[in-house]
Amino acid sequence: MTTTPHRTIGPQLDHAFVERLAARRPTRFQHNLPGHPLLSLDEIARLGEELPPASVSVEVGEKPIAAGAAEGVAVQVDDIGAAIRNIATTSSWFTLLHIHQVDRYQLLVDEIIDGLAATSGLSPASLRRRMGFLFASSPRAVTAAHFDIEHSFCMQLQGTRTLGFGKWADDDERAKDVRDYWNGDFGRFHTMPATTDEFEIGPGDGCYIPPWTPHWITNHDETSLSMTVTFFNDDNEDESLVQAFNTKFENRGLHPRRYGVSPGRDRAKVRFMRAYGATKRRLGMSDSGGGSH
Ligand SMILES: [Fe+2]
């Protein structure tokens, strides 16, 4: 992949990436985040202390890749900062969720996504609902197999890991897992998907993780620090709105058409869900979950 003259600290992509994003193809890239002052172990620990408890997720480090529901591997930690600073020896796995709720990290998430847009030729305004996540995990820790509905860009800061990609056996399996996702299962796999690709990523390496693409990560023998930024564009926003619509009806025993089968019906469902979401927001009801892991 050739580089462009645009200088960015985040993913260094080129115009060929636009097609890969549209085709949802995993794509490796380089970035310049290692050494960034907001991304040292100590700064990540400080952010962990600053975030509300609901934005810090802790799990057992060494666990099966197909770990099933998060509750089964969750860990309760009292001193978040100390536990992150001692991550080399605690066999644990930390996610700091929605780091963009802290101003200095929101600026960083925007800088990374705007840079990604500039190097690839995408419109920055088309990359919406931008979110940021930081991960700190012990040697040999595992990020359990799951899928996300966002476009995700995983950027390794410290340590080396193997990122695996997989696929569903068929469309029915995908549809079942999608329905479970919208019913609160967060896209975690109980059995291992078939492997399609494996990438080794070290400091300065990164990978585009497409939406609805099974993936998992295993740390090598060092502590791992990484950052992920995510966004929605028309592609995954439309599909997610149709899935949310369909799940409401499937839960009542109906069988609405899957996304992609009938584009006209998909557009009508998207319009309905946008109006429904706007109404809920007007009434002060939450309609957002979101979260990469
Ligand atoms: Fe993920």
Side-chain angles (χ1 to χ4, degrees):
M1 188 174 282
T2 55
T3 53
T4 67
H6 184 92
R7 292 174 62 82
T8 176
I9 58 169
Q12 293 161 19
L13 301 163
D14 64 17
H15 287 214
F17 180 66
V18 174
E19 278 181 31
R20 298 185 71 87
L21 183 79
R24 300 182 180 172
R25 301 259 308 267
T27 302
R28 300 191 63 159
F29 56 78
Q30 301 294 302
H31 64 86
N32 290 313
L33 287 181
H36 190 284
L38 288 178
L39 302 176
S40 65
L41 177 64
D42 204 49
E43 280 302 309
I44 293 173
R46 192 158 81 90
L47 177 63
E49 292 165 335
E50 194 174 332
L51 287 170
S55 296
V56 180
S57 166
V58 196
E59 294 183 9
V60 174
E62 293 184 59
K63 55 182 176 278
I65 294 177
E71 298 79 50
V73 287
V75 176
Q76 192 66 38
V77 172
D78 294 328
D79 188 340
I80 301 284
I84 293 178
R85 288 184 184 92
N86 295 323
I87 193 81
T89 58
T90 53
S91 189
S92 52
W93 183 94
F94 279 81
T95 304
L96 307 187
L97 300 149
H98 301 162
I99 63 172
H100 48 282
Q101 63 194 296
V102 174
D103 288 348
R104 62 188 187 280
Y105 286 95
Q106 182 178 11
L107 289 172
L108 179 60
V109 169
D110 273 334
E111 182 182 357
I112 291 168
I113 295 179
D114 285 341
L116 179 164
T119 58
S120 59
L122 292 161
S123 156
S126 70
L127 313 181
R128 306 180 297 270
R129 295 164 63 187
R130 301 172 172 197
M131 296 187 279
F133 304 82
L134 278 168
F135 302 90
S137 52
S138 304
R140 293 174 300 285
V142 166
T143 301
H146 66 284
F147 68 92
D148 305 298
I149 65 170
E150 298 87 358
H151 295 287
S152 299
F153 296 77
C154 169
M155 295 166 285
Q156 193 67 17
L157 304 167
Q158 180 185 317
T160 302
R161 306 196 286 174
T162 299
L163 166 61
F165 287 97
K167 62 175 183 181
W168 277 282
D170 54 39
D171 287 348
D172 288 343
E173 283 294 310
R174 183 187 194 266
K176 180 180 139 322
D177 286 345
V178 163
R179 193 163 55 247
D180 288 348
Y181 174 92
W182 289 102
N183 284 320
D185 204 31
F186 296 105
R188 311 249 312 198
F189 286 90
H190 298 258
T191 55
M192 194 62 189
T195 302
T196 54
D197 242 326
E198 279 191 335
F199 299 132
E200 188 175 296
I201 50 173
D205 297 328
C207 195
Y208 162 56
I209 302 175
W212 296 286
T213 305
H215 59 281
W216 54 90
I217 311 177
T218 50
N219 291 4
H220 295 191
D221 290 335
E222 313 136 69
T223 293
S224 169
L225 301 180
S226 67
M227 178 172 182
T228 292
V229 296
T230 70
F231 57 75
F232 285 83
N233 60 4
D234 288 345
D235 169 46
N236 59 331
E237 190 165 277
D238 285 1
E239 182 166 354
S240 62
L241 288 171
V242 170
Q243 289 177 352
F245 177 99
N246 284 351
T247 302
K248 286 177 193 294
F249 287 88
E250 284 162 352
N251 289 346
R252 290 167 173 78
L254 301 172
H255 302 283
R257 290 191 195 177
R258 282 179 198 161
Y259 178 79
V261 172
S262 172
R265 288 189 190 205
D266 286 346
R267 280 193 295 277
K269 290 173 184 175
V270 167
R271 277 197 301 275
F272 173 83
M273 290 301 283
R274 289 223 164 90
Y276 177 70
T279 303
K280 286 214 301 190
R281 280 192 294 279
R282 247 194 335 272
L283 296 173
M285 297 154 70
S286 168
D287 71 335
S288 69
S292 188
H293 295 91

